[in-house]
Every structure is written in structure tokens, then in C-alpha cells.
Amino acid sequence: MFELKSPVHASKREHYEDLVQQARGLLAGERDPIANAANFSALVYHSLPELNWAGFYLFDGTELVVGPFQGKPACIRIALGRGVCGTAAQTRETQLVRDVNAFDGHIACDAASQSEIVVPLVKTDGSLLGVWDVDSPVIDRFDEDDRAGMQALCAVFMEAVRG
Ligand code: SME
């Protein structure tokens, strides 16, 4: 059985480095994207402080559809270009939103969410798998260390599902 480790970290960067190693171990040897997305969501949600939602929106060829996640029930479908998730999917750039109330078009699935980070998941052939979305009830929860850390975690996920 996989055991979540919660050692004390000297810094946020160190915490992400540890989390990347844990994600590698958790996903090793499994390519199924749904299985890996479910475990990945649980790992991140239960390892990082001050989160109220962490999960996937998967691209079905037309729009984003909610996938495995941890947190309260969420909006099911998001059009490309809409909200923070749709913007990340369309621009293929990580969206770091320090205050969702100031983001024009933000989709409030959970009224508790105050800040958000969304990483686009792009396959090696350039096509879109979906996005990785993490919400916090705290304004300004995410910074550049979170951007780098979340992107590194998503790289582990993409590598695992690629096989
Ligand atoms: N806030 C997101 C919608 C998804 S929920 O946060 C789970 C957005 O604006 O795209």
C-alpha cells in the first residue's frame, strides 16, 4: 500500500521535490490515465496545505469535461477559452490566479475558492489531454514556486500515462 509521507520541509521547493518523487513512485508501472489521475489528485490534495479542490478536466475533442478530482462536486463541462481552465487549455500556458474575483470570466464551482492554478496537459504530439486544476480558499495561495512545482508534477503524470 502507498503511504503518504508528511515530513517537515525546509522550503516549498523542497516539498515539491519530495512530492515529485512520491508521484513517480505512485504512478510507476501504470499507464491508465483515469487510475493515475485519481491517485495523483489524492496525493496532491492530501499533501499540500490550504487546498479545497485538486483535479483534472479532460479534453473530449470539443470541450473540457471534469475528470478524477478531490474536493466538492464541480462544474462538469467547460468550453475552451472559458474560465481559468478553458484559458489554460486554449493558451496552453499555466494560469496562476492570485485572486479569482479579479479574473474576468472565472467559473465559481465552489464559492470557497479564492485563488487557483491551472496547468495545461499537452501530449508529445502537441494535442491537448486536458488541464490540472488546483483551488485554494486563501487569496494569493500560489506563487512561482507552485507554478514550477505543479508543472514538474504534471510532467511526471504525462510521462506515466505516455508509458
Ligand atoms: N474555477 C475554474 C472552474 C473549475 S473549478 O475551479 C473546479 C475555472 O474558472 O475554470
Side-chain angles (χ1 to χ4, degrees):
M1 207 175 77
F2 186 88
E3 274 192 47
L4 274 171
K5 287 186 230 140
S6 311
V8 176
H9 297 97
S11 68
K12 201 189 255 192
R13 281 185 204 185
E14 201 182 285
H15 194 169
Y16 274 108
E17 279 165 23
D18 182 33
L19 212 42
V20 161
Q21 292 310 320
Q22 289 193 62
R24 279 214 180 92
L26 183 62
L27 309 187
E30 180 54 64
R31 287 184 64 187
D32 185 278
I34 299 299
N36 280 342
N39 266 339
F40 185 92
S41 303
L43 173 68
V44 175
Y45 186 79
H46 290 285
S47 300
L48 293 175
E50 298 178 320
L51 305 183
N52 63 314
W53 204 88
F56 290 81
Y57 277 88
L58 302 171
F59 185 54
D60 72 353
T62 305
E63 56 191 350
L64 296 170
V65 184
V66 75
F69 68 91
Q70 300 272 312
K72 288 187 182 169
C75 318
I76 299 172
R77 292 176 181 271
I78 298 176
L80 295 192
R82 280 208 58 227
V84 186
C85 291
T87 302
Q90 192 168 63
T91 61
R92 310 256 174 127
E93 279 176 14
T94 297
Q95 301 295 306
L96 199 167
V97 181
R98 294 176 188 276
D99 179 357
V100 296
N101 306 295
F103 186 95
D104 198 20
H106 168 256
I107 302 164
C109 294
D110 182 345
S113 299
Q114 296 297 315
S115 57
E116 179 164 3
I117 184 164
V118 182
V119 181
L121 304 171
V122 181
K123 298 182 199 170
T124 43
D125 67 1
S127 62
L128 185 71
L129 177 72
V131 301
W132 166 244
D133 177 17
V134 184
D135 290 12
S136 171
V138 178
I139 287 186
D140 218 5
R141 159 69 180 78
F142 304 106
D143 61 15
E144 290 306 320
D145 285 344
D146 293 289
R147 185 199 302 265
M150 291 293 181
Q151 288 180 169
L153 282 166
C154 287
V156 171
F157 174 78
M158 292 304 284
E159 201 178 309
V161 300
R162 195 162 55 233

